[in-house]
């Protein structure tokens, strides 16, 4: 039987092709039927969370983060080996051509035979076997990645939205007055809560865990223990939200801090859901008030809500329902920028409407303290990150934006990263229903 990169085993080739066909059919079914996706999330996706997610949950570090690191190493090795094989093939092609020329010029083939003997040395044969084995492994690894991405991520993009499940039909028409009213409610809560926050000597907000551990910045000796308390509180809040929205019900793994959080900062990313390990991960270098809503946001992905706007809205709801003022403040801060940006957009694109709106309802002035708390990363951390970065932050950020935008558009989100701001529509829809 002819040997290929998939090996000589006919059954292995059949299994490979069957899995490839299953991946294709699952994606076709997902794109064609939201009902299929809803059924899959309710009956199959939860199995991966409750089994594989529990296994990876035993590890104190992010398994997914290291799987991605291993994947990058594997891709680099494949590219390097591929380059070596290409050079080796080119050399052999040149030698074969030379042999043919020499063969035509002379009937004696001693020198030619010597060339072919060299080409068949044990070292060369061993390299060829190693190369075939490596690329066979690489092909199966790529197939596994495609299967996992389909099962734990791609199907989720085509399920019914949170709004469709729990809010019903929506005409999508919201007035500027409703927008400013929503903004004012959030701004007032931020102003109020900023004044009751416990702070350290530098003015940084302090979080107090259930065990009494207090943390405010990353360099504290209790940082990891305090974040563990915060993660457990986030899990409880999400489980509580599940009593209102059934898809959010059930077990949650503990969110994990990422080792490469500095690199996450360069991408301006707060968290990451790893479909390869069913983990919720967060950036622990960012300002402490970003962490609670990010934990809840990433946990929402583990219940099948893959869209960023929905996960942000769910994270907001979980936090503001807390009895802990720290979580409440973090929740309101998580949506303040979205609302503020939409008001600025209204002023820029429809100045006449904006003037009429503010004449009817004046936007609340956000306090200086709130804006000081409403940051992604502190200046001290940025100085440390940029001081040791291997790649300029601006380059990393642009590359991350392109990747995220393309990924969202490929999965049917036509407006790409702009969809992150759609959380405002969910907020307006939620509070309209609450006030009916």
């Amino acid at each position: 039987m002819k040997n290929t990169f998939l090996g000589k085993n006919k059954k292995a080739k059949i299994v490979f092709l069957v899995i490839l066909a299953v991946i294709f059919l699952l994606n076709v079914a997902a794109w064609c039927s939201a009902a299929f996706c809803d059924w899959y999330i309710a009956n199959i996706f939860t199995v991966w969370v409750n089994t594989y997610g529990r296994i990876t949950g035993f590890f104190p570090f992010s398994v997914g983060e290291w799987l991605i690191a291993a994947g990058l190493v594997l891709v680099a090795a494949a590219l390097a080996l591929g380059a070596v094989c290409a050079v080796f093939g080119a050399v052999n092609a040149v030698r074969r051509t030379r042999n043919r020329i020499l063969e035509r010029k002379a009937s004696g083939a001693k020198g030619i035979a010597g060339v072919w003997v060299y080409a068949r040395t044990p070292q060369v044969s061993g390299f060829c076997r190693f190369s075939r084995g490596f690329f066979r492994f690489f092909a199966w690894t790529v197939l596994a990645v495609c299967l996992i991405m389909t099962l734990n991520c791609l199907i989720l993009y085509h399920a019914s939205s949170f709004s469709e499940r729990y809010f019903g039909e929506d005409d999508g028409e919201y007035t500027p007055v409703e927008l400013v009213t929503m903004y004012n409610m959030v701004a007032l809560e931020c102003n109020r809560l900023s004044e009751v926050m416990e702070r350290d000597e530098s003015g940084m907000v302090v979080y107090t865990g259930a065990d009494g551990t207090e943390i405010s910045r990353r360099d504290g000796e209790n940082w990891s223990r305090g974040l563990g308390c915060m993660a457990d509180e986030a899990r409880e809040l999400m489980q509580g939200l599940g009593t209102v929205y059934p898809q959010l019900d059930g077990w949650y793994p503990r969110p994990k801090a990422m080792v490469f959080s500095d690199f996450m900062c360069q991408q301006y990313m707060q968290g990451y859901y790893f479909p390869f390990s069913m983990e919720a991960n967060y950036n622990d270098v960012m300002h402490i008030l970003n962490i609670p809503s990010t934990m809840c946001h990433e946990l929402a992905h583990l219940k099948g809500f893959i869209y960023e706007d929905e996960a942000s809205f769910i994270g907001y709801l979980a936090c503001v329902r807390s009895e802990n003022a720290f979580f409440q403040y973090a929740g309101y801060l998580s949506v303040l920028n979205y609302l503020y940006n939409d008001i600025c957009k209204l002023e820029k694109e429809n100045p006449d409407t904006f003037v009429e709106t503010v004449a009817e309802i004046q936007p609340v002035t956000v306090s200086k303290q709130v804006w000081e708390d409403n940051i992604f990363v502190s200046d001290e951390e940025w100085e440390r990150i940029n001081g040791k970065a291997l790649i300029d932050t601006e380059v990393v950020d642009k590359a991350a934006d392109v990747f995220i935008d393309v990924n969202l558009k490929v999965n049917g989100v036509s407006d790409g990263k702009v969809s992150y701001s759609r959380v405002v529509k969910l907020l307006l829809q939620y509070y309209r229903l609450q006030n009916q």
Side-chain angles (χ1 to χ4, degrees):
M1 184 180 296
K2 185 178 179 181
N3 189 11
T4 67
F5 77 96
L6 288 178
K8 296 180 180 180
N9 192 322
K10 185 177 180 179
K11 290 183 179 178
K13 296 177 184 178
I14 293 174
V15 171
F16 188 96
L17 294 174
V18 167
I19 295 175
L20 194 62
V22 168
I23 293 172
F24 174 77
L25 292 174
L26 284 173
N27 278 280
V28 170
W31 277 85
C32 294
S33 174
F36 165 74
C37 298
D38 294 342
W39 174 87
Y40 173 82
I41 291 172
N43 297 280
I44 307 298
F45 182 72
T46 55
V47 175
W48 311 142
V49 177
N50 289 306
T51 53
Y52 186 48
R54 288 180 186 271
I55 294 172
T56 57
F58 286 121
F59 296 89
F61 55 86
S62 171
V63 175
E65 188 175 20
W66 290 106
L67 285 175
I68 286 183
L72 293 174
V73 171
L74 186 63
V75 170
L79 292 173
L81 186 58
V84 171
C85 289
V87 171
F88 184 80
V91 170
N92 271 351
V94 170
R95 292 187 180 196
R96 284 194 297 269
T97 301
R98 186 183 67 175
N99 287 347
R100 294 190 188 101
I101 295 173
L102 292 174
E103 191 174 27
R104 293 191 187 100
K105 290 183 177 181
S107 58
K110 184 176 180 180
I112 300 171
V115 173
W116 284 106
V117 168
Y118 173 80
R120 295 173 183 270
T121 57
Q123 293 87 346
V124 174
S125 298
F127 174 77
C128 291
R129 285 196 299 272
F130 171 78
S131 299
R132 284 194 296 270
F134 176 85
F135 285 113
R136 188 180 306 130
F137 170 75
F138 186 78
W140 281 98
T141 301
V142 171
L143 184 71
V145 168
C146 292
L147 179 61
I148 292 171
M149 282 295 294
T150 295
L151 295 175
N152 295 347
C153 186
L154 302 185
I155 292 177
L156 311 185
Y157 276 104
H158 307 287
S160 298
S161 68
F162 186 93
S163 176
E164 290 169 339
R165 280 179 174 273
Y166 301 114
F167 294 163
E169 293 186 9
D170 178 51
D171 57 17
E173 296 295 329
Y174 294 93
T175 66
V177 170
E178 286 180 292
L179 173 62
V180 176
T181 300
M182 181 75 230
Y183 170 78
N184 284 355
M185 186 273 286
V186 170
L188 285 171
E189 286 299 311
C190 286
N191 288 344
R192 178 183 68 82
L193 290 165
S194 68
E195 297 176 357
V196 300
M197 288 293 103
E198 181 183 353
R199 299 178 184 272
D200 62 16
E201 63 280 356
S202 67
M204 185 76 75
V205 173
V206 173
Y207 168 74
T208 303
D211 63 355
T213 300
E214 295 184 351
I215 55 172
S216 59
R217 56 183 67 249
R218 193 168 182 253
D219 57 2
E221 60 181 14
N222 294 324
W223 183 249
S224 294
R225 186 163 62 251
L227 288 181
C229 293
M230 194 184 295
D232 289 336
E233 190 165 351
R235 295 168 70 192
E236 291 177 6
L237 289 171
M238 290 297 291
Q239 288 172 336
L241 205 56
T243 61
V244 182
Y245 307 106
Q247 188 172 326
L248 294 171
D249 193 22
W251 177 83
Y252 288 90
R254 176 186 272 195
K256 299 176 182 179
M258 296 184 67
V259 172
F260 298 105
S261 287
D262 284 358
F263 188 60
M264 291 281 288
C265 290
Q266 289 188 279
Q267 301 173 67
Y268 288 85
M269 290 187 67
Q270 296 183 334
Y272 200 90
Y273 155 64
F274 283 114
F276 305 107
S277 58
M278 303 306 290
E279 292 174 305
N281 294 260
Y282 61 92
N283 175 350
D284 73 335
V285 173
M286 62 184 176
H287 190 273
I288 191 171
L289 280 166
N290 294 314
I291 296 178
S293 59
T294 299
M295 288 179 170
C296 296
H297 173 117
E298 302 306 330
L299 289 174
H301 289 321
L302 286 163
K303 293 301 179 182
F305 293 106
I306 200 67
Y307 285 101
E308 296 298 324
D309 56 320
E310 293 182 340
S312 294
F313 173 71
I314 292 168
Y316 162 81
L317 279 186
C319 287
V320 299
R321 286 166 55 92
S322 173
E323 295 180 0
N324 187 329
F326 177 89
F327 265 77
Q328 292 175 22
Y329 189 30
Y332 286 114
L333 279 177
S334 72
V335 299
L336 179 64
N337 284 347
Y338 290 121
L339 291 160
Y340 178 78
N341 290 340
D342 271 19
I343 290 178
C344 291
K345 183 179 178 181
L346 173 67
E347 182 180 13
K348 181 180 179 180
E349 296 181 357
N350 299 284
D352 293 338
T353 302
F354 176 78
V355 171
E356 294 175 2
T357 302
V358 297
E360 182 175 346
I361 178 171
Q362 188 70 29
V364 169
T365 299
V366 175
S367 72
K368 179 182 178 182
Q369 182 62 69
V370 171
W371 289 127
E372 290 178 353
D373 292 335
N374 188 29
I375 60 173
F376 176 48
V377 176
S378 68
D379 292 338
E380 294 81 5
E381 289 289 5
W382 271 130
E383 185 176 352
R384 180 186 61 79
I385 292 167
N386 291 324
K388 69 173 189 177
L390 297 177
I391 306 175
D392 185 74
T393 295
E394 186 176 352
V395 174
V396 174
D397 180 39
K398 287 181 178 178
D401 281 348
V402 171
F403 174 79
I404 293 170
D405 192 62
V406 171
N407 179 62
L408 290 171
K409 288 180 178 178
V410 165
N411 286 290
V413 186
S414 59
D415 49 358
K417 197 176 180 183
V418 176
S419 65
Y420 280 39
S421 65
R422 291 204 305 249
V423 66
V424 172
K425 181 178 178 180
L426 285 167
L427 287 167
L428 292 170
Q429 190 176 7
Y430 172 76
Y431 282 101
R432 176 186 280 184
L433 290 172
Q434 293 295 305
N435 293 325
Q436 285 181 352

